[in-house]
Amino acid sequence: MSATPPKLSLIAEGDKCVLCGMCLPQCPTYQHAQDENESPRGRIVLGKAILSGELRIDAQITRHIDNCLLCRQCERICPSGVQFGYFMDGLRQQLHEGDEAADKRLETVLEDATQSRRLHGLLRIAHLSGADKLAGLLPGKLGRLGRSLPTIGKLSDARPHYPAAHERHRVQMFRGCTQTVFGSALFDTGIAVLNRLGVSVEVPTEQGCCGALSQHSGHAGRAHVLAAGNLQAFATQPALPIVTLASGCAATLKDYARLTDDYAGAAEFAQQVMDISHYIASIDWPADVGIRGLKQRVVVHSPCSLRNVLRQENAVSTLLARIPGAEIIPLEAGNSCCGAAGSYMFEDEHRGLSETLAGENIAKIRELQADVVVTSNIGCAMQLQAGLKRAGLTIKVLHPIELLAQQLSPD
């Protein structure tokens, strides 16, 4: 697979933009900075000038490009169909070309299976000992990580097969690196719910990180290696749906057809991918599955990946509407981006906007008098939980499947 998107292809993508300005009210960075350089069309103008050699890269221009959260709300609304995510990924590759070997950020740890397991072990020790609470008192990235950490459960090795007692369907499961490290218990919950609904689950053992963190930070070489490994790992069951527990992973897996367009099977693979809530909402359930009632206000946060890339934002509300008595309320706070954006929420230079966006979501959650908040992406869950703690609110943030699992009747 080619690791370098051609500059001409990126310029051609930028040329689709007619500078109409419809993206401006959709862009979180523009709305808060009121600076055209912090808007999608401003970044396209800057990017085209960089790619064509008309503009030299400097720290200020790099900052405008790196400030983008890649929420892709602009892409959803664009009347010209500009693939802004593709443009930004390629542009960041040009800006950060050659620095992959020296990069030591969180992405390099999470993407490596051995290092991520070691990180999980350290975080679990920190959680059990209370050191994570002490870390939360520290300044900088470590403090923000400590304040964002969910409960770190025991990490168990996945089996390759999880057969349902009465099989009606079969799927493959994508685990993901961040979801496994920070939300390991969700894997077991997801398997249990799928099995209860008559879905047997295959878990390819050779799968790895989806590559989202590297792809969006401009490290396309690493991202493409990870994509190739996953395409090969899942190729043995080409007809089965591939369900994910994190919408951010699903969005990147869906993009494999675009990011690796010269790799056989990438387009077919992308068609198989779906968020687990969307999958469960779309299948027929066994007649003996009951759901206990829940008299609570359930506020549904739709991650940008679910809303703007997968276009499956209604799936969670549709699924949870099956719970008798539950009041399902969509969270609509500005453009709804919570400011997590992968590793964005941990970076010193992005702290202000990240926490501001989280605060807008928290204010809306308070206004809606939520009993529980659900979101389909682990980064968003960590961001929202940290924001709720800052606001002094004791409201749980759950994955939709966790809430569903609580209400499903036993076999």
Side-chain angles (χ1 to χ4, degrees):
M1 289 180 297
S2 171
T4 306
K7 290 185 180 182
L8 289 178
S9 176
L10 293 174
I11 292 173
E13 191 63 42
D15 283 341
K16 294 180 183 178
C17 178
V18 296
L19 305 179
C20 67
M22 287 186 66
C23 57
L24 298 184
Q26 307 297 326
C27 177
T29 55
Y30 176 78
Q31 286 301 304
H32 285 273
Q34 293 296 302
D35 180 347
E36 188 68 49
N37 293 306
E38 292 288 323
S39 74
R41 69 178 183 184
R43 291 184 174 109
I44 286 174
V45 171
L46 288 175
K48 286 172 59 181
I50 291 168
L51 294 167
S52 64
E54 298 173 17
L55 188 65
R56 293 184 60 184
I57 299 171
D58 59 24
Q60 185 173 4
I61 289 173
T62 300
R63 185 163 56 252
H64 288 312
I65 302 302
D66 285 345
N67 279 348
C68 176
L69 294 122
L70 271 176
C71 67
R72 292 170 69 172
Q73 179 69 13
C74 59
E75 188 172 314
R76 179 178 183 132
I77 204 71
C78 180
S80 302
V82 177
Q83 298 183 73
F84 188 74
Y86 166 71
F87 183 84
M88 286 298 296
D89 286 344
L91 179 58
R92 285 179 175 174
Q93 183 184 343
Q94 301 298 321
L95 264 61
H96 300 294
E97 195 169 16
D99 67 354
E100 293 192 28
D103 188 79
K104 302 295 181 184
R105 289 183 292 185
L106 183 61
E107 66 199 49
T108 61
V109 175
L110 290 173
E111 289 170 352
D112 182 89
T114 300
Q115 292 189 63
S116 64
R117 289 184 72 89
R118 188 178 298 125
L119 174 61
H120 178 274
L122 292 172
L123 291 175
R124 180 153 171 77
I125 292 171
H127 175 70
L128 293 174
S129 67
D132 57 336
K133 294 182 176 60
L134 294 176
L137 301 175
L138 297 174
K141 184 182 297 187
L142 185 60
R144 287 194 292 282
L145 178 60
R147 291 188 292 275
S148 302
L149 285 177
T151 299
I152 305 296
K154 183 179 180 181
L155 183 62
S156 57
D157 292 325
R159 303 197 308 269
H161 308 288
Y162 293 85
H166 304 286
E167 182 179 298
R168 301 161 65 91
H169 309 279
R170 290 173 63 219
V171 300
Q172 299 182 91
M173 174 77 80
F174 183 81
R175 295 192 72 181
C177 62
T178 305
Q179 181 64 65
T180 299
V181 170
F182 297 117
S184 53
L186 179 59
F187 174 77
D188 295 329
T189 302
I191 295 291
V193 169
L194 288 166
N195 284 173
R196 178 71 182 92
L197 298 178
V199 183
S200 294
V201 183
E202 309 290 328
V203 185
T205 55
E206 300 303 315
Q207 64 176 290
C209 171
C210 69
L213 293 175
S214 278
Q215 183 66 36
H216 300 325
S217 60
H219 300 147
R222 283 204 305 255
H224 284 203
V225 169
L226 293 166
N230 286 323
L231 288 168
Q232 185 173 355
F234 283 87
T236 58
Q237 302 278 358
L240 294 184
I242 299 169
V243 298
T244 72
L245 296 163
S247 61
C249 291
T252 297
L253 297 176
K254 276 284 191 185
D255 264 356
Y256 278 7
R258 172 174 60 80
L259 303 175
T260 59
D261 55 4
D262 56 349
Y263 194 94
E268 293 79 4
F269 173 90
Q271 290 299 315
Q272 295 170 252
V273 174
M274 64 180 71
D275 180 76
I276 189 170
S277 296
H278 177 77
Y279 175 77
I280 291 177
S282 69
I283 63 172
D284 57 305
W285 291 19
D288 65 343
V289 173
I291 306 180
R292 294 186 294 270
L294 181 69
K295 297 292 185 181
Q296 289 189 344
R297 295 169 67 86
V298 180
V299 172
V300 178
H301 169 264
S302 290
C304 299
S305 49
L306 189 69
R307 186 176 67 253
N308 300 328
V309 184
L310 301 176
R311 311 292 172 93
Q312 295 173 358
E313 67 271 25
N314 295 326
V316 173
S317 295
T318 300
L319 177 63
L320 297 182
R322 290 175 177 259
I323 301 175
E327 186 178 358
I328 310 302
I329 308 168
L331 175 63
E332 297 175 357
N335 57 40
S336 295
C337 180
C338 69
S343 60
Y344 195 99
M345 61 180 171
F346 299 125
E347 303 295 339
D348 292 338
E349 61 269 30
H350 299 138
R351 175 185 177 184
L353 179 58
S354 179
E355 293 189 355
T356 296
L357 293 174
E360 291 173 356
N361 281 263
I362 300 309
K364 190 66 175 180
I365 290 169
R366 187 197 294 271
E367 178 186 326
L368 293 172
Q369 298 180 329
D371 295 304
V372 62
V373 176
V374 298
T375 187
S376 301
N377 197 56
I378 182 63
C380 299
M382 293 168 65
Q383 174 81 331
L384 292 173
Q385 195 69 79
L388 288 166
K389 287 180 182 178
R390 283 196 301 272
L393 299 173
T394 55
I395 301 172
K396 281 188 176 181
V397 179
L398 299 176
H399 190 282
I401 302 306
E402 291 178 309
L403 183 60
L404 180 64
Q406 289 179 12
Q407 302 309 120
L408 281 181
S409 62
D411 293 352

